[in-house]
Amino acid sequence: MKKFVLFFLLALTASSSLQAKKQQPIVVAYIASWGSQRMPDPTLMTHINYAFGKVTDTFDGMTIQNTDFLRKVMKLKEQNPKLKIILSIGGWTAGNFSEMAANPDFRMGFARDCKKAVDEYGLDGIDIDWEYPTSNEAGISCSPDDTDNFTLLMRDLRQVLGKKTLLTIATIADAKFIDFKACMKYLDFVNIMAYDVANPPYHHTTLYRSSLSGRITVDEAVKAHIKAGVPRNRLTLGMPLYGRGAGSNKVLGSFVKTGETGGKYQRKWDDVGKVPYLAGDDGKLVLAYDSPVSLAYKCEYIKEMGLLGGMYWECTEDNDMLEGMRAIWLYLMK
């Protein structure tokens, strides 16, 4: 009996030790150089992705938007010394990737500019947000060779940046356009943009498939990336801090920040998709958004699936109480 008890205690101690060594989730916060420039609370995140850098018009280098603001963001390390700050290059409608990635000299010139920025500003990494290789949906140039050239770009970036500098990418929810199996040996982790997949009357970021879901759900997006070859523990789930579907409507456009419906819309909850939305008089969705409750469901999903952590776009879209950012931090990290 004593031997059994001793064995049990040893097993329990080993289990507790493994739990203690389990990797803490990360929280990646995008911050835009052109926004209100309200500085985020750096204690609510582990990583900041500064948006954006751009591929030069000569295709052989990179420039950074609003470097004065970047310097201010870098000073957030004084409040959180463990904070990692990454320069994100690209974004929607950001072109010149296809031409750059297709040419070995251009790729190396671009990679050297990235390395120069890392050294000059004290950055912790580079994030590539090419939307999307082989696609001209965003009105940018593309080529059938983009997917293969993307892999070569990751290879060259890793070579020039070295092993200690973070290299990450942002990807479409569907896990299209990238050869993940070829790229993962160069990448630290992948940020899934699990949002913007639908317009009203459909919701753009349902957790599970419901009658309101767009072309793909959060759950389907994660599983698509895993199937494509991304390890679970190197995936972050992207969540929106903004509402989609507002258009030029001032009430809907400011709802996430103010919580005011103007008496014109009803708050609704999709219990299958696990998301809130605003509906008009006809009951149809007019604004899709996330709330602290739906973010809690997504954070629990992140933990259940064994993902690396969460990501969100974008800090200044949150309200003045930082309810979205605080919810993500609380439910992921606490």
Side-chain angles (χ1 to χ4, degrees):
M1 181 65 179
K2 289 182 179 179
K3 289 183 178 180
F4 174 80
V5 172
L6 179 60
F7 176 78
F8 176 78
L9 289 174
L10 287 172
L12 184 62
T13 301
S15 177
S16 299
S17 177
L18 286 172
Q19 288 295 324
K21 292 179 181 179
K22 187 176 180 181
Q23 187 174 7
Q24 185 82 345
I26 69 171
V27 176
V28 181
Y30 276 86
I31 183 166
S33 61
W34 62 86
S36 68
Q37 297 192 19
R38 178 185 68 190
M39 299 299 285
D41 181 346
T43 67
L44 297 177
M45 56 204 65
T46 61
H47 297 62
I48 288 177
N49 279 4
Y50 182 86
F52 283 111
K54 301 289 184 183
V55 181
T56 60
D57 290 339
T58 53
F59 314 124
D60 59 351
M62 179 272 299
T63 60
I64 305 172
Q65 296 177 336
N66 200 346
T67 55
D68 288 341
F69 186 46
L70 173 58
R71 290 187 179 93
K72 292 180 181 179
V73 171
M74 294 303 301
K75 289 183 178 180
L76 293 174
K77 284 175 171 278
E78 296 173 4
Q79 301 175 55
N80 180 3
K82 294 182 179 180
L83 182 66
K84 304 294 185 183
I85 301 180
I86 299 169
L87 173 65
S88 184
I89 302 171
W92 189 247
T93 73
N96 299 340
F97 277 107
S98 184
E99 294 88 345
M100 177 268 290
N103 183 297
D105 292 333
F106 290 170
R107 286 198 307 268
M108 291 305 294
F110 174 81
R112 284 192 289 268
D113 268 7
C114 289
K115 173 62 173 172
K116 181 180 177 181
V118 167
D119 294 340
E120 180 178 352
Y121 295 97
L123 295 162
D124 297 287
I126 296 293
D127 174 64
I128 300 299
D129 186 5
W130 179 352
E131 301 183 23
Y132 304 100
T134 73
S135 171
N136 62 0
E137 182 182 356
I140 64 174
S141 56
C142 66
S143 163
D145 298 324
D146 284 347
T147 297
D148 290 338
N149 292 335
F150 186 95
T151 302
L152 296 175
L153 177 61
M154 297 304 105
R155 181 200 65 185
D156 291 352
L157 280 168
R158 177 52 72 199
Q159 177 184 339
V160 173
L161 294 173
K163 295 181 180 180
K164 294 184 179 180
T165 301
L166 292 171
L167 179 58
T168 69
I169 58 175
T171 61
I172 193 170
D174 312 67
K176 294 178 178 179
F177 310 123
I178 293 170
D179 183 350
F180 290 101
K181 292 179 180 178
C183 286
M184 288 312 300
K185 59 186 174 184
Y186 308 118
L187 298 172
D188 288 284
F189 58 87
V190 173
N191 300 295
I192 306 174
M193 295 185 286
Y195 41 74
D196 288 350
V197 302
N199 292 311
Y202 298 102
H203 204 293
H204 74 124
T205 182
T206 58
L207 180 52
Y208 300 111
R209 180 146 299 279
S210 75
S211 60
L212 294 179
S213 296
R215 72 172 189 271
I216 190 170
T217 68
V218 168
D219 176 56
E220 291 163 358
V222 169
K223 291 175 179 176
H225 278 76
I226 294 170
K227 183 178 181 181
V230 186
R232 294 169 185 250
N233 63 355
R234 292 166 69 186
L235 276 175
T236 71
L237 174 60
M239 296 166 275
L241 296 183
Y242 58 91
R244 184 170 179 84
S248 59
N249 185 312
K250 291 183 179 180
V251 174
L252 295 178
S254 62
F255 170 77
V256 172
K257 291 187 176 182
T258 67
E260 298 294 332
T261 66
K264 299 179 180 180
Y265 308 101
Q266 297 179 325
R267 298 171 187 258
K268 298 281 188 177
W269 174 258
D270 176 1
D271 199 40
V272 178
K274 302 301 181 188
V275 284
Y277 62 98
L278 291 186
D281 292 337
D282 58 2
K284 291 185 178 180
L285 182 153
V286 294
L287 182 72
Y289 66 100
D290 262 322
S291 67
V293 175
S294 62
L295 292 172
Y297 275 107
K298 288 178 178 176
C299 289
E300 186 62 27
Y301 176 87
I302 289 169
K303 291 188 284 188
E304 289 177 353
M305 290 292 289
L307 306 185
L308 177 60
M311 173 273 281
Y312 52 81
W313 179 275
E314 167 275 339
C315 290
T316 59
E317 297 284 355
D318 205 356
N319 61 28
D320 289 341
M321 294 179 288
L322 310 183
E323 285 185 328
M325 287 188 277
R326 291 185 189 280
I328 291 170
W329 181 262
L330 173 67
Y331 289 112
L332 266 187
M333 310 300 281
K334 304 296 182 182

